[in-house]
Amino acid sequence: MKKLLASLMALSMVFAVTGCSESSDSSSESKAEAKTTTTTTAAPAVESKADTTTTTAAPEESVADTTTSADDTTSTGDEAKGTYENDVYTSDLYSFKIDSKKWAMQESAGVDVMFTYADAGDDAELESASINVISMSNDLLNGLTASDYADQIKQTYNSMDGYTVTNDKEDKFAGNDAYIVDVTGEIGSQKVLLNQIITSDNGNLVVITYGASENAYSKLSDEFKTVLDSFELK
């Protein structure tokens, strides 16, 4: 179970930020190029084969730049892939609505699905926004609960340089009990705000991660709420 928890945490902590690492003098780059560049920061909790100690790499050591588009099919093969039709993403465990005119679906290894904000116009900061979801079925969890995950994720974030848990609480999400974890962090020189919703339904675990650079976050709070309000667990 410890190994599963470590792997799950590494996947759910993936946070895509497009444009955050770009300097202000990079405005000559075309928007088409900017919108296909995803900087993925993962906090890869890994379990040693020699013992059961879980360690977490510092963000600075795990930042990797990749180019993705909606047509990319890069995948570990472990994700609960769903379908995206008529602005509704549907998997075996959940569904939600997300406007394809505003959000672009990105295939990203380790998550069920990731969307980045595509309706930025002239505001490049908005391109930092993303939403990703991972899930695990009850058959694979072996007793791992949403509470187990929430407790460990708080400890892990607080142990990482540059990351701080600013709020955590129990709440309701999509009609189910949920744990909400709010985090601030830094990617390069950019401050980011990151939120995780951890919930379960009939033992199935769903983790929703969303956020953006600090300035963009406030501008997109209504957009995030619209997507989150549409979630349904099966």
Side-chain angles (χ1 to χ4, degrees):
M1 184 171 130
K2 287 183 179 179
K3 186 173 182 179
L4 177 60
L5 178 60
S7 300
L8 188 59
M9 286 175 58
L11 299 182
S12 68
M13 292 172 74
V14 171
F15 177 50
V17 179
T18 58
C20 276
S21 61
E22 297 174 2
S23 62
S24 58
D25 59 2
S26 63
S27 57
S28 59
E29 183 180 2
S30 69
K31 289 184 182 178
E33 257 181 88
K35 290 185 179 179
T36 58
T37 301
T38 300
T39 301
T40 302
T41 301
V46 294
E47 183 175 358
S48 168
K49 293 181 180 179
D51 54 39
T52 58
T53 301
T54 300
T55 58
T56 305
E60 291 80 7
E61 298 172 350
S62 59
V63 175
D65 290 332
T66 58
T67 300
T68 62
S69 70
D71 295 327
D72 286 344
T73 55
T74 303
S75 170
T76 61
D78 297 328
E79 305 88 290
K81 295 296 184 183
T83 59
Y84 184 42
E85 297 178 352
N86 300 319
D87 290 354
V88 177
Y89 184 85
T90 304
S91 80
D92 290 340
L93 302 181
Y94 59 88
S95 65
F96 62 95
K97 298 177 182 178
I98 187 161
D99 191 342
S100 59
K101 294 179 181 179
K102 296 181 178 180
W103 296 89
M105 188 173 75
Q106 309 287 337
E107 294 287 348
S108 181
V111 299
D112 297 0
V113 68
M114 176 184 291
F115 287 88
T116 55
Y117 197 68
D119 190 28
D122 294 328
D123 192 344
E125 282 190 338
L126 298 183
E127 294 171 0
S128 68
S130 71
I131 299 172
N132 73 61
V133 187
I134 68 164
S135 60
M136 292 286 286
S137 68
N138 187 36
D139 293 339
L140 298 176
L141 290 172
N142 296 321
L144 178 69
T145 67
S147 178
D148 293 331
Y149 176 88
D151 287 343
Q152 190 62 50
I153 202 72
K154 288 182 288 187
Q155 295 176 28
T156 301
Y157 272 123
N158 280 327
S159 70
M160 294 167 59
D161 290 340
Y163 286 77
T164 303
V165 174
T166 56
N167 184 43
D168 66 273
K169 62 180 179 179
E170 295 183 35
D171 207 337
K172 290 287 186 179
F173 179 76
N176 291 67
D177 292 336
Y179 297 85
I180 314 296
V181 180
D182 301 333
V183 178
T184 61
E186 294 181 359
I187 297 179
S189 60
Q190 186 70 269
K191 183 177 180 180
V192 297
L193 304 182
L194 172 65
N195 306 94
Q196 288 194 306
I197 300 172
I198 305 115
T199 190
S200 61
D201 184 46
N202 296 320
N204 303 312
L205 187 66
V206 176
V207 183
I208 303 157
T209 305
Y210 65 99
S213 67
E214 186 175 28
N215 291 336
Y217 189 98
S218 61
K219 298 174 183 178
L220 292 175
S221 59
D222 289 343
E223 294 293 340
F224 286 134
K225 186 177 186 302
T226 297
V227 176
L228 296 173
D229 286 348
S230 71
F231 263 83
E232 294 183 2
L233 303 177
K234 298 182 179 180

